[in-house]
Amino acid sequence: MTRSLTAEPAKSVPLPVREVVFSEEAISLRVRQLAREITRDYQGEELTVVGILKGAQIFCCDLVRHLQLSASLDFMSISSYKQARGPKEVRITKDLEGSIEGKHLLLVEDIVDTGLTLNYLIDVLATRKPRSVFVCSLLDRPSLRLAEIPLKYVGFDAGQEFLVGYGLDYRDHYRDLPYIASVDLP
Ligand code: IMP
Ligand code: MG
């Protein structure tokens, strides 16, 4: 299935998708399975689910709908970019609204690649004394990992191809696709 988005002249022209990698049905099934695991693991605990904007917001909202816990939900936004020379720079552009001291945190991410973005975030959050910090990522690309991440729940393993849809973007496009697809980057 292909879909081209040509309605936004101000942005670069989006690419047609190459192929659907994870269908809407497969994602829905996996999200429910993950929610069951998380519900089982955090039974009787106070859980704060932290969605990482913007990529994880769709996954996170679908996931919490299936949790059978009294979890609270918060969001953070970070921007990260690779400098030509030097390390990846990460910056918090929207912080949590509530205190996390003494709370069990579950960070919900769209994809963990090098792990550097989450590694930075976890270091920052650790200074606020949460009781525990684990990560649930829809996608995991372990082949490129540079930092160790407490990745406890993974939806699917991703290969090397660039993926879009279900929250994942290429230059802010494709987030609204209900499935995950690969694109050939220019
Ligand atoms: P990391 O710091 O290398 O782990 O970067 C992870 C971040 O890179 C994710 O939160 C995404 O925003 C982005 N990213 C990595 N791979 C992809 C991809 O295949 N599609 C869309 N975004 C990606
Ligand atoms: Mg992201």
Side-chain angles (χ1 to χ4, degrees):
M1 198 191 290
T2 61
R3 172 169 159 180
S4 68
L5 303 171
T6 49
E8 294 192 61
K11 293 191 178 180
S12 58
V13 180
L15 312 157
V17 301
R18 193 200 314 148
E19 66 172 333
V20 175
V21 180
F22 301 108
S23 69
E24 192 174 354
E25 294 71 28
I27 294 169
S28 165
L29 193 70
R30 191 71 189 112
V31 168
R32 285 160 200 258
Q33 288 170 342
L34 289 172
R36 272 200 294 276
E37 280 181 52
I38 295 165
T39 297
R40 188 194 59 212
D41 293 352
Y42 288 93
Q43 209 50 246
E45 305 284 359
E46 259 198 68
L47 177 66
T48 301
V49 175
V50 175
I52 313 298
L53 300 175
K54 297 181 205 170
Q57 63 183 324
I58 293 174
F59 171 47
C60 187
C61 292
D62 280 349
L63 185 72
V64 294
R65 255 184 271 234
H66 297 293
L67 292 180
Q68 290 179 7
L69 297 165
S70 60
S72 56
L73 179 59
D74 209 339
F75 290 96
M76 279 185 101
S77 188
I78 46 185
S79 77
S80 66
Y81 57 94
K82 178 86 183 76
Q83 293 174 309
R85 244 160 287 175
K88 195 164 180 173
E89 289 280 322
V90 188
R91 204 162 49 87
I92 294 175
T93 52
K94 184 216 167 294
D95 209 336
L96 295 174
E97 288 178 7
S99 163
I100 55 168
E101 191 169 340
K103 305 266 177 70
H104 290 290
L105 286 195
L106 184 64
L107 307 183
V108 178
E109 181 56 305
D110 54 355
I111 180 165
V112 184
D113 198 14
T114 63
L116 294 175
T117 311
L118 268 184
N119 189 51
Y120 166 84
L121 195 59
I122 290 168
D123 280 352
V124 171
L125 295 177
T127 65
R128 304 180 192 175
K129 303 186 170 51
R131 184 138 168 231
S132 68
V133 183
F134 288 100
V135 176
C136 172
S137 185
L138 177 64
L139 297 161
D140 180 20
R141 191 180 280 129
S143 55
L144 297 181
R145 192 67 33 84
L146 295 174
E148 207 175 303
I149 298 297
L151 192 49
K152 197 169 178 190
Y153 309 96
V154 170
F156 304 100
D157 276 345
Q160 299 294 327
E161 71 232 314
F162 195 82
L163 299 173
V164 296
Y166 196 66
L168 289 102
D169 74 306
Y170 171 66
R171 300 194 171 171
D172 234 12
H173 284 289
Y174 304 108
R175 293 192 199 275
D176 55 334
L177 294 178
Y179 48 82
I180 294 173
S182 56
V183 282
D184 295 309
L185 297 185

